[in-house]
Amino acid sequence: GSAMAAVREVEIDPEGTFKYILVRLQRPGGGEQRDIVRGTGAAEFHNHIFEKVNPEMEKLGYECKCLGGGKIEHNSKDKKIRVFGLSTGYGKADHSLTVEILKKEYTDYEITWSDDKK
């Protein structure tokens, strides 16, 4: 397998409502690419998440591009995730794409998205 396959597609907080970003990883010069979801309540702003992810991925030899952001509401008790909102700086991520990625990790969850602000 490639090193890219070793990068976890989803890293989000286990509980709560928090900001998230959708990031596209790419080998310089094209070739393989992968979209990953990162979200945490520790980030006050969306760019805080990107500023953490970007150097990690650059060390692995990938270029990062933020495809937008939003919020994730993660209810682990009811096994529900709601994706909504947007990032002021990066714009709105394609939440439907985010949901597809989340479904791979949280297979037994009900995962929905909307363009609602809150």
Side-chain angles (χ1 to χ4, degrees):
S2 68
M4 194 174 268
V7 176
R8 287 179 57 193
E9 274 183 299
V10 178
E11 282 182 18
I12 60 170
D13 287 0
E15 190 66 42
T17 302
F18 44 84
K19 291 182 167 65
Y20 94 89
I21 57 171
L22 187 60
V23 177
R24 177 156 291 165
L25 305 184
Q26 198 161 349
R27 283 276 181 224
E32 58 173 343
Q33 61 177 40
R34 183 169 213 204
D35 296 338
I36 61 172
V37 175
R38 294 291 184 269
T40 176
E44 192 184 347
F45 300 105
H46 286 90
N47 62 305
H48 292 170
I49 308 173
F50 189 74
E51 282 160 14
K52 186 177 174 296
V53 174
N54 198 31
E56 288 174 10
M57 296 305 151
E58 280 183 342
K59 274 189 200 131
L60 297 172
Y62 302 114
E63 289 171 347
C64 285
K65 182 180 168 206
C66 185
L67 301 179
K71 284 187 168 179
I72 286 175
E73 181 180 62
H74 189 172
N75 182 335
S76 55
K77 186 169 68 73
D78 295 339
K79 296 198 168 180
K80 285 184 179 177
I81 292 177
R82 186 169 73 98
V83 184
F84 64 101
L86 52 84
S87 160
T88 313
Y90 296 122
K92 185 174 81 74
D94 182 345
H95 296 329
S96 60
L97 180 54
T98 301
V99 167
E100 289 310 306
I101 296 168
L102 290 170
K103 278 179 176 170
K104 294 181 197 173
E105 181 89 12
Y106 296 96
T107 50
D108 56 345
Y109 268 61
E110 180 191 322
I111 306 176
T112 57
W113 69 271
S114 77
D115 287 329
D116 296 346
K117 296 284 190 294
K118 48 175 123 203

